[in-house]
Amino acid sequence: MRTISFSLVIIALLFTFSCEQKDTTPDPRLDQPEDFKKLLDAHGDWSKWVNAKGFSYAMVHETNLAWENHYISLPDRKVRIDADAWQIGNDGEKVWISPNRQAFQGNSVRFYHNLYFYFFSIPYIFTDPGVSVKKTENKLVNGISYEAFEVSFEENVGSSPNDIYFMLVDPETGKLAWVLYSVTFFDKNNTKLNALKYEDYRDAGGLIFPRIMTGYQFENDSTKRLSYQVTFSDVFLVEKAMDAALFAMPEKNAVAAN
């Protein structure tokens, strides 16, 4: 029932139609290094990501079966997440939570509000302005050598420009197999890498996204204890803008949060 309801909300309520003429100027995000383009091409027609205005999906935490519905306005990265016990949003000026901060058990609402969106959107999201992708030396994971790309960010790009990302390419499919990453949101000097595995790709309107992402602790080029696993469904990517009201903080039973 939840899947049906979510799909109907997407189709009927979220996307507003525009009569404005499209800009035919080539988007600079399409100008990427040739090696990186090869990885992007393995994931479908990635120009669809560059041209999209709205993005949404359903997500389940497999460790506790908690569900979430995510809605993202891609041009300005406004976000809303609906869960069973809370809603989180970013209206472009502040991050908010409803009904109160106590409803969310995580350390930081701001850290969480776009966390899974970012991971789920790799490699497409690394076409963003201010992001640089370059080929680097191969990386080992569990004894297998993977072609690797290093990702870096210009100063003041995003909330954690010191984060480290390596994209590892499946040698058989050419698709993204692993992401090795560090988290500097809570400690800007942290360099410890975690590993995130991408599996079971599914088509969503010409682009492919993983159905399963599994996070692991990572040490000595090997995965250790499982940290989390999430699964995705009902992925929608459209060229029409989302209704701004979707991301507005409710007038009652909501607070701004860090």
Side-chain angles (χ1 to χ4, degrees):
M1 181 63 69
R2 180 170 68 245
T3 299
I4 295 173
S5 176
F6 180 66
S7 300
L8 290 176
V9 168
I10 295 298
I11 294 170
L13 298 178
L14 295 185
F15 303 113
T16 59
F17 290 86
S18 171
C19 295
E20 296 179 1
Q21 186 174 358
K22 290 185 178 181
D23 185 358
T24 58
T25 304
D27 193 301
R29 290 176 292 174
L30 295 172
D31 184 18
Q32 299 294 329
E34 290 302 318
D35 286 337
F36 184 31
K37 282 184 180 179
K38 184 177 179 181
L39 173 60
L40 289 164
D41 287 341
H43 289 250
D45 182 4
W46 54 279
S47 67
K48 292 179 180 292
W49 174 267
V50 172
N51 294 322
K53 300 296 189 296
F55 186 41
S56 62
Y57 51 87
M59 187 181 85
V60 174
H61 295 265
E62 293 298 327
T63 50
N64 60 9
L65 299 184
W67 62 270
E68 299 173 7
N69 294 331
H70 290 227
Y71 313 93
I72 301 94
S73 172
L74 291 175
D76 50 25
R77 300 295 160 83
K78 294 179 182 178
V79 172
R80 173 168 151 179
I81 306 174
D82 292 348
D84 186 43
W86 47 261
Q87 289 180 333
I88 285 174
N90 180 349
D91 62 9
E93 296 181 358
K94 59 187 174 298
V95 175
W96 55 265
I97 183 167
S98 175
N100 53 55
R101 177 61 181 86
Q102 291 70 35
F104 178 72
Q105 301 303 310
N107 292 331
S108 169
V109 177
R110 178 171 292 278
F111 174 73
Y112 189 82
H113 87 278
N114 61 0
L115 175 66
Y116 287 102
F117 156 65
Y118 207 84
F119 284 142
F120 189 48
S121 303
I122 297 173
Y124 314 116
I125 202 164
F126 290 146
T127 62
D128 276 1
V131 181
S132 177
V133 176
K134 67 177 182 179
K135 193 83 168 290
T136 187
E137 62 183 9
N138 282 21
K139 298 291 183 183
L140 283 174
V141 177
N142 299 334
I144 300 175
S145 178
Y146 292 90
E147 178 185 11
F149 291 86
E150 182 177 4
V151 182
S152 59
F153 306 87
E154 293 180 3
E155 189 175 355
N156 299 322
V157 171
S159 58
S160 302
N162 295 321
D163 282 356
I164 300 169
Y165 289 90
F166 294 101
M167 294 185 291
L168 278 55
V169 181
D170 187 312
E172 294 184 1
T173 68
K175 298 180 176 65
L176 184 69
W178 293 89
V179 169
L180 305 180
Y181 68 95
S182 69
V183 176
T184 61
F185 185 91
F186 302 103
D187 177 3
K188 66 180 181 179
N189 296 314
N190 178 46
T191 58
K192 181 177 176 57
L193 292 176
N194 304 284
L196 183 58
K197 186 173 179 59
Y198 288 65
E199 300 178 272
D200 196 11
Y201 281 98
R202 304 294 178 90
D203 183 90
L207 289 177
I208 61 168
F209 293 88
R211 189 182 69 85
I212 305 171
M213 295 194 321
T214 309
Y216 297 90
Q217 294 180 358
F218 190 67
E219 185 178 344
N220 297 326
D221 298 329
S222 299
T223 56
K224 303 300 182 183
R225 186 174 66 86
L226 186 146
S227 301
Y228 58 88
Q229 185 176 79
V230 288
T231 57
F232 300 89
S233 62
D234 293 322
V235 181
F236 290 84
L237 189 72
V238 297
E239 294 185 31
K240 302 192 184 342
M242 289 177 129
D243 188 346
L246 181 70
F247 309 101
M249 187 172 81
E251 294 183 3
K252 298 180 179 180
N253 299 321
V255 295
N258 291 322

